[in-house]
Amino acid sequence: ILDSSQGASTRIDATNARAMASVAARTALLPVAHGTEEMETAVMADVLRRAGARVTLASVEEGPSRVVKASRGLRIRADVSLSASELEKEYDLMALPGGMPGAARLRDCQPLAEALKRQANSGKLTAAICAAPAVVLRSHGILNGRKATAHPGFLHELQEDSTVGAATENRVEVDGNLITSRGPGTAYEFALAMTEATMGKDVRDKTATPLLLAREIGGASDDLPITVVSPAPPPPVKKEGEAIKVLLAVADGSEDMESVITYDVLVRGGASVTIASVMDNKDITCANGLGIETDGLIQDFEASEYDLIVLPGGMPGAEHLSKCKTLISMLRKQKESGKLYAAICASPVVVFETNGLLEGKKATAYPAFQPKLKDPSVIKSRVVIDGNCITSQGPGTSFDFGLTLVECLFGKAKAEEIKGPMVMWN
């Protein structure tokens, strides 16, 4: 069994492999719709797949296309359309992402509503996050007499409904076979709670460790700092109506959560984000199976200028990025011009170090890749800022990475502003 966050040659220990093999039959259905929250979707699917579950992303939208346009514009390619035959299958878990109008579209899908009621009545696990507990589960009576939580903007709907047993402000609420949670910033805790409920605490803990999550949200990583070696350049000054432009380069095998969280946080901050594929086609499949329809091929954007070029990690995605001559040429010009360039997980080493983009710069990376950094002096950092170069460690530091990029592009006030709606832990 390969852990893609550590590279294609790094294997999970045999005990972990045996534990995951023992629960490989666990199945999960994740319905999605236009307007579904992309970070919640990616984290739920990725964490459960890392734990060994068979996860099916199913679009409730009509028509032949399985691509849904998520709440911040990311185009996610579902595994299947939510047909009657899919809903006749038995799943160990049915889990709903939030986001609007995505949650409303899930609520209005009558076949899904009936399947959710059967799931809840059978005693099997039902879960929902963000808007979905209030908009979907409450609307179909699944919260009757139950304890639940929801996004702060929707919690009043639970509080004002006398049929709901109790509305709490807990980051994750577990009430028997029902798990609810609050928003993007609680998605890791939510996904790990589902993992524990379906596969046990040992699998949950083994899944959490390589994510590099902070201890305060159920991970095992130390409270590492954000290290500023030298300050980033001031936020770019734009004419009225002119957008701050970001290029997010991705490939087959890019890390799912790092790609989506970085994109979503930057869009929330106000950036115009272009997603470019370095492969031969614009549809890519991430390291743990999430399908993304990009905006086009990297060469389509070569002549454009960007305020930031940013790379996710994941293997073999980082290797594909490193071998893309067009991308490396763009990154070298970005570095020389003093504009921001950033990478997370494997990419600071596999892309930046390999191609001379860390000359004169200090950086961090995923722990398995840190020994390959020429200058290891600041590796014990969640994020490192060294002038116009910004690096970070892995999936569990993706929110810090994204928020740091927002601060560099828009200022500290904007980064603080978007934390609240995401329900961040710090």
Side-chain angles (χ1 to χ4, degrees), residues 158-179:
L158 306 188
Q159 295 167 334
E160 296 166 2
D161 189 336
S162 61
T163 68
V164 176
T168 79
E169 295 184 6
N170 293 332
R171 292 177 64 79
V172 177
E173 186 64 64
V174 181
D175 184 3
N177 67 325
L178 174 69
I179 301 177

Side-chain angles (χ1 to χ4, degrees), residues 14 29 36 38 57 102 108 140 155 176 228 299 323 354 389 414:
L29 180 71
T36 287
E38 40 265 90
L57 254 67
D108 295 340
H140 296 311
L155 190 62
V228 180
Q299 53 266 33
K323 293 173 183 176
T354 299
C389 179
K414 175 57 72 173

Side-chain angles (χ1 to χ4, degrees), residues 139-395:
S139 298
H140 296 311
I142 295 171
L143 298 188
N144 290 358
R146 309 298 295 272
K147 186 184 293 185
T149 191
H151 189 274
F154 290 87
L155 190 62
H156 68 94
E157 296 187 19
L158 306 188
Q159 295 167 334
E160 296 166 2
D161 189 336
S162 61
T163 68
V164 176
T168 79
E169 295 184 6
N170 293 332
R171 292 177 64 79
V172 177
E173 186 64 64
V174 181
D175 184 3
N177 67 325
L178 174 69
I179 301 177
T180 52
S181 191
R182 308 209 75 191
T186 69
Y188 278 116
E189 298 145 275
F190 178 57
L192 289 170
M194 292 189 291
T195 299
E196 182 169 349
T198 53
M199 292 172 260
K201 189 175 186 303
D202 284 349
V203 172
R204 178 248 182 249
D205 292 345
K206 290 180 174 73
T207 303
T209 298
L211 294 175
L212 307 181
L213 294 169
R215 295 182 193 280
E216 61 205 294
I217 58 168
S221 292
D222 294 330
D223 185 18
L224 300 176
I226 293 177
T227 299
V228 180
V229 178
S230 61
V237 177
K238 297 290 184 177
K239 298 177 182 178
E240 186 176 352
E242 187 180 3
I244 287 179
K245 296 172 61 179
V246 175
L247 183 75
L248 172 63
V250 295
D252 286 336
S254 287
E255 212 295 316
D256 315 41
M257 296 182 285
E258 294 164 1
S259 302
V260 176
I261 291 172
T262 302
Y263 169 88
D264 196 328
V265 173
L266 283 165
V267 172
R268 285 170 179 260
S272 174
V273 183
T274 297
I275 307 178
S277 168
V278 304
M279 310 305 292
D280 292 332
N281 58 74
K282 60 186 279 187
D283 293 337
I284 64 112
T285 301
C286 294
N288 289 303
L290 186 72
I292 295 175
E293 182 183 281
T294 70
D295 296 308
L297 306 184
I298 188 71
Q299 53 266 33
D300 298 334
F301 310 107
E302 185 176 7
S304 300
E305 293 187 1
Y306 294 92
D307 299 291
L308 164 68
I309 298 177
V310 58
L311 313 180
M315 294 292 277
E319 292 177 335
H320 290 309
L321 296 176
S322 185
K323 293 173 183 176
C324 177
K325 294 180 180 179
T326 300
L327 174 62
I328 299 307
S329 174
M330 293 175 72
L331 284 165
R332 286 176 176 150
K333 291 175 183 176
Q334 193 81 358
K335 180 179 188 291
E336 292 165 4
S337 70
K339 292 182 178 181
L340 294 172
Y341 65 108
I344 188 170
C345 194
S347 287
V349 170
V350 177
V351 184
F352 284 3
E353 189 75 271
T354 299
N355 291 285
L357 292 160
L358 290 183
E359 288 295 327
K361 302 289 187 182
K362 297 180 186 292
T364 191
Y366 193 82
F369 291 91
Q370 289 173 357
K372 297 180 182 179
L373 286 168
K374 292 178 183 177
D375 184 344
S377 60
V378 293
I379 57 173
K380 299 300 183 183
S381 308
R382 293 179 71 76
V383 181
V384 172
I385 303 169
D386 192 353
N388 63 330
C389 179
I390 302 171
T391 52
S392 189
Q393 288 205 4

Side-chain angles (χ1 to χ4, degrees), residues 376-421:
S377 60
V378 293
I379 57 173
K380 299 300 183 183
S381 308
R382 293 179 71 76
V383 181
V384 172
I385 303 169
D386 192 353
N388 63 330
C389 179
I390 302 171
T391 52
S392 189
Q393 288 205 4
T397 67
S398 294
F399 280 105
D400 295 305
F401 182 57
L403 287 166
T404 298
L405 297 176
V406 169
E407 182 172 341
C408 291
L409 290 169
F410 296 94
K412 187 174 180 61
K414 175 57 72 173
E416 290 297 322
E417 176 189 319
I418 66 174
K419 278 186 177 183

